[in-house]
Amino acid sequence: MSTTILSSHVLHDLLSVSDLPLVIHPGKLHTHWADAARSKGFTLIARVRDRLHVALHCQTCGGVHVARHSVVMTAQPLCPHCIEARWRATAIAAGLTWLGRDTNHRHYGYYGLPCGHEVRRQFSFVERVASGEVAARCETCLVYREEAEALRFGWTRLGRAPQGNPSYRLYRHGCGHEQRIARANLQWGQCDCAGCGQSWTAKPSYIYLLDIRHPGTRRHYLKLGYSSHPVKRHKHQLGLPKNAEVEVLRVVAMPTGHDACAREKAAHAFLKRAHPDAVVSHPEYADLMNVVSEIYRPGSLSILQQTLDGIEAEVATGACIRTPNDLSDQGQIAGGNNPETPHPDPEPHADAEAATRNPDDTPQDRAAACRDRLPILDRHWGLTG
């Protein structure tokens, strides 16, 4: 066996075994192998490496590559030189610079962006860029833009959201409070700090459990939600018939509207995933109330109570989540998720409630303050309908 090295400038004239830059195997070249290779656009040059591999000369580009002889006989060999030429052409059409393929993953390559940064992209994605379907975004430049957007409104970008939602980022407010916010909202300043803000997101709130009965149709449902005024919520904002009977079964005091919204949404996501049979579909109650979700079967009462037990325990131990700011959904303003927004509260608030809260207060302090202002929350709420 022999080994020879060949420079790339003579690849187009490779037709001799002695010229190959490969380890030549002394096995016989079968005629039917050569005929099969020729019919598929290649010239069979030699057996190389071992008894299973052959060297093929591409009749299109003149490049040489190695393939198994079984591939030559049963499939269509692919010339890697032709493939890379197509990748280069696609990169040019996409406005990118081809830098080479990713040797660790056959579907990825490295490209240079017009901004000067380098990125790793899927070949199929670059094809979509070349066709105009998508744009090749630079993550480095995006981070710079997001940092500048955050500074405009007094926030500092810390990174992507811990939960992995691509639409959210983690920010730190000037007061030191860290919060997870949808980037689309922060671009317009449509968010409020749950640590020092003045909106409903920073004020104390509650997660409630309602028992709803309609004598006329004998329908019976449970509703889990959040509101700074649970009684007002069901009396004036659910659109229930006047003869509907509503009982507030339980409320859990939350330090802020932010915490109430985030924990309530997390609870609904868990219940929908773990107990889909407990969820009532919207068409079943659409004529009874003006909500589109958060309605459960009466048989799920114990499950809902257990969920509230977990939330209450976390609040009591100071483990109330602070990062998921699901109240900042894209396309909504800062007050968009406020259950009280469509119906302003006619009752004046005490000055103490409107004052700026101390950002150093612990969740336990805030929860205690909620109960001090509304001692009825420490008792069982009876029929309020």
Side-chain angles (χ1 to χ4, degrees), residues 74-122:
T74 62
Q76 173 61 53
L78 299 177
C79 174
H81 310 292
C82 291
I83 293 175
E84 182 166 333
R86 290 197 295 270
W87 289 340
R88 289 179 181 273
T90 303
I92 294 174
L96 309 176
T97 302
W98 168 256
L99 300 178
R101 67 175 303 170
D102 183 354
T103 57
N104 297 319
H105 200 298
R106 64 190 183 93
H107 294 300
Y108 284 82
Y110 292 96
Y111 299 86
L113 297 176
C115 63
H117 296 119
E118 298 180 4
V119 294
R120 175 178 175 269
R121 291 290 183 270
Q122 235 177 345

Side-chain angles (χ1 to χ4, degrees), residues 259 263 310-322 363-364:
D259 292 315
R263 179 53 71 186
I311 296 174
E312 194 166 43
E314 291 183 352
V315 174
T317 59
C320 185
I321 55 175
R322 304 295 296 169
Q364 298 96 314

Side-chain angles (χ1 to χ4, degrees), residues 56-345:
L56 300 177
H57 177 262
C58 180
Q59 298 172 359
T60 301
C61 69
V64 174
H65 77 282
V66 177
R68 285 178 173 265
H69 64 72
S70 59
V71 174
V72 176
M73 297 302 298
T74 62
Q76 173 61 53
L78 299 177
C79 174
H81 310 292
C82 291
I83 293 175
E84 182 166 333
R86 290 197 295 270
W87 289 340
R88 289 179 181 273
T90 303
I92 294 174
L96 309 176
T97 302
W98 168 256
L99 300 178
R101 67 175 303 170
D102 183 354
T103 57
N104 297 319
H105 200 298
R106 64 190 183 93
H107 294 300
Y108 284 82
Y110 292 96
Y111 299 86
L113 297 176
C115 63
H117 296 119
E118 298 180 4
V119 294
R120 175 178 175 269
R121 291 290 183 270
Q122 235 177 345
F123 299 131
S124 58
F125 177 81
V126 178
E127 292 175 359
R128 295 173 60 199
V129 175
S131 63
E133 298 179 28
V134 294
R137 186 179 65 183
C138 175
E139 284 85 355
T140 303
C141 293
L142 176 63
V143 170
Y144 292 155
R145 290 197 300 271
E146 292 179 353
E147 289 176 345
E149 292 166 357
L151 289 175
R152 288 175 53 203
F153 299 103
W155 295 85
T156 300
R157 183 188 186 277
L158 300 180
R160 289 190 171 271
Q163 285 73 24
N165 189 320
S167 300
Y168 285 77
R169 306 289 184 268
L170 184 62
Y171 300 91
R172 179 185 292 117
H173 194 240
C175 68
H177 174 73
E178 295 182 5
Q179 190 167 320
R180 176 176 172 265
I181 308 174
R183 186 213 169 194
N185 283 348
L186 193 66
Q187 283 180 291
W188 297 97
Q190 296 174 331
C191 57
D192 187 37
C193 177
C196 66
Q198 292 296 302
S199 71
W200 67 275
T201 65
K203 294 179 180 179
S205 189
Y206 312 94
I207 295 179
Y208 61 79
L209 178 61
L210 300 182
D211 181 290
I212 302 174
R213 302 170 188 254
H214 186 233
T217 58
R218 296 186 178 181
R219 281 181 284 183
H220 182 195
Y221 303 119
L222 300 176
K223 183 182 187 310
L224 182 69
Y226 76 97
S227 174
S228 61
H229 300 280
V231 177
K232 173 186 170 185
R233 172 69 171 146
H234 80 75
K235 281 191 173 182
H236 306 294
Q237 296 163 354
L238 294 185
L240 290 167
K242 291 185 177 181
N243 62 341
E245 299 175 356
V246 181
E247 182 180 0
V248 181
L249 299 179
R250 183 175 178 181
V251 294
V252 177
M254 302 296 292
T256 67
H258 169 177
D259 292 315
C261 177
R263 179 53 71 186
E264 182 244 16
K265 285 183 177 292
H268 287 307
F270 167 76
L271 292 168
K272 185 176 181 180
R273 182 175 61 254
H275 305 282
D277 295 339
V279 181
V280 183
S281 60
H282 176 245
E284 186 174 332
Y285 58 84
D287 62 326
L288 188 63
M289 61 189 96
N290 57 16
V291 296
V292 296
S293 61
E294 306 174 353
I295 304 300
Y296 298 90
R297 305 284 179 191
S300 63
L301 177 60
S302 61
I303 298 173
L304 297 176
Q305 291 283 20
Q306 291 173 7
T307 301
L308 292 176
D309 288 342
I311 296 174
E312 194 166 43
E314 291 183 352
V315 174
T317 59
C320 185
I321 55 175
R322 304 295 296 169
T323 52
N325 187 16
D326 291 323
L327 52 92
S328 297
D329 290 337
Q330 292 191 29
Q332 296 183 356
I333 61 173
N337 271 359
N338 183 0
E340 281 70 51
T341 299
H343 301 273
D345 186 4

Side-chain angles (χ1 to χ4, degrees), residues 345-366:
D345 186 4
E347 301 176 359
H349 294 285
D351 294 339
E353 182 178 346
T356 302
R357 295 186 297 105
N358 183 358
D360 295 329
D361 287 345
T362 64
Q364 298 96 314
D365 295 336
R366 297 177 186 176

